[in-house]
Amino acid sequence: MRCVLCWLRMMTAILCCGMALGFRPPQAAAQTVDKADALSQINRARILNGASPLALNAALEKAAQRHSQDMADKGFLDHIGSDGSKLDDRVLAAGYSSWIGQRVWAELVYAGDGSFAEALAFWVSDNAQKRILLDSRFREIGIGVALNTSPAGVTTAYWALVLGAQPNALPVFINDGAVVTNLPQVAIRLTQETVAPEGEGNSIGRAIEVRISADPGFAGAVWQPWEMLLPFTFDDTPGLKTIYVQYRDASDRMTVSTASIQYNPSSAPVVIAVGPGAQDGLQNTPGNTAETATAPAPVGAANQHAVQPVADATARPTPDATAAGQSLVAVVSPAPNNPPPMPTTSINAGATAQPDLTGAPAPADALSRPDATLPDWVLPGVAVAQAMVIVLGLLALLQRKHL
């Protein structure tokens, strides 16, 4: 009896010491994230500032999610991954294509315990970051987010946006990306090839004509001049509706894009395409829009990192900004729940200054990492062991009285 009691007491002491040293069960994420809502907020900001919406791209999504998860797992905020990877490495590894002479993609990162609206507000609060977010050259995006919950129960969301453009990818949007319409008449928003307007090899240049159809074979569809917004009418049968848009440039190079929307006559009022300059907190302002942006002013002496100018969003990227092996990179390092510090920006991935990590989450303690936690059965096991110790102790006490 004494041996059993000693063994149970020893096991209980070991388990309790392990918990005291920092071994804890994994923390469940207390907050949820909605990438669809994040995309909607981004596209609304772009449309209100005269830029086209962004379409989700699987390769960019993979690159963004990889970096978000890495930052959340290791508890850091930077554009260089824990494995030394840079934006170029992650995007190319994900399989995103580029033109021969230029790579057009960018990355924004943010960590905080608030919603995505908080991250977006931070990015648009700075001229350089806002111009990247609203750059009209970008046509696709990947959104990454991962949560890290501290032992104290504080959940931090690590966001990564990877924006890009690639050859022959000209997304189209029905009612600016709405998922449902109650009218068969819709507005089709087209994108344009501004990165390589002359085209490259078999890759389309600036589109001069399009034809739109609900038939993938374009039966009966006629070519018409390219315009940013074009009307289209589906048949009046409720259900999922898909449109096919074929672009053609002056050299007769073509590419096809598709988009879908649910037609439900009894749904909420139809979403109508919004033009630039609408009255909103993100409306156009001279010098800060995707259409009229100019190089940002030098950063004040209080900031040790210089912000280099970004190319005019409406112009074709200059060779020095988009030459092979280079890309547009933005690094953001806010302090959660504190006024954000001035971010750093560079147009050369190989020469990007290290970000200011003031107030950023500290690296995770070695004993609070996921790979240092005990299995889920530990806490219930401790409780059972303690109960057994109490019961056996009472039995031993009774046995002594009988003796």
Side-chain angles (χ1 to χ4, degrees), residues 67 70-71 76 78-87 90:
H67 194 46
D70 183 30
M71 291 189 295
F76 72 97
D78 199 347
H79 66 299
I80 299 178
S82 63
D83 58 355
S85 65
K86 298 180 180 179
L87 174 60
R90 294 187 291 269

Side-chain angles (χ1 to χ4, degrees), residues 118-315:
E118 178 184 89
L120 182 61
F122 174 79
W123 288 321
V124 301
S125 68
D126 175 76
N127 185 48
Q129 310 309 318
K130 179 179 178 180
R131 288 175 55 199
I132 291 173
L133 189 69
L134 305 179
D135 194 324
S136 61
R137 289 173 296 176
F138 298 132
R139 304 190 290 260
E140 298 178 300
I141 190 172
I143 301 174
V145 60
L147 305 181
N148 179 307
T149 302
S150 70
V154 177
T155 299
T156 302
Y158 289 80
W159 293 91
L161 304 184
V162 181
L163 302 83
Q166 61 178 327
N168 288 327
L170 297 175
V172 297
F173 303 87
I174 304 175
N175 288 354
D176 285 338
V179 297
V180 63
T181 178
N182 63 359
L183 294 174
Q185 296 86 15
V186 294
I188 308 299
R189 185 181 290 271
L190 307 179
T191 50
Q192 182 61 280
E193 182 53 78
T194 59
V195 176
E198 303 302 322
E200 184 180 273
N202 293 325
S203 300
I204 191 173
R206 180 177 292 275
I208 60 172
E209 291 181 313
V210 296
R211 56 178 179 173
I212 307 174
S213 177
D215 172 27
F218 295 93
V222 297
W223 290 100
Q224 57 184 311
W226 180 97
E227 292 185 31
M228 185 174 65
L229 285 173
L230 290 172
F232 187 80
T233 302
F234 293 109
D235 63 67
D236 58 3
T237 304
L240 184 66
K241 302 295 183 181
T242 300
I243 58 107
Y244 303 84
V245 177
Q246 188 170 31
Y247 293 85
R248 182 165 67 183
D249 69 5
S251 299
D252 208 34
R253 290 170 294 201
M254 292 177 280
T255 188
V256 176
S257 298
T258 67
S260 298
I261 193 170
Q262 193 74 29
Y263 170 44
N264 180 358
S266 61
S267 66
V270 64
V271 177
I272 301 175
V274 179
Q279 296 301 311
D280 185 85
L282 293 172
Q283 66 187 26
N284 287 328
T285 54
N288 288 333
T289 71
E291 298 298 327
T292 61
T294 56
V299 179
N303 191 335
Q304 299 178 355
H305 304 301
V307 176
Q308 302 178 18
V310 180
D312 189 335
T314 62

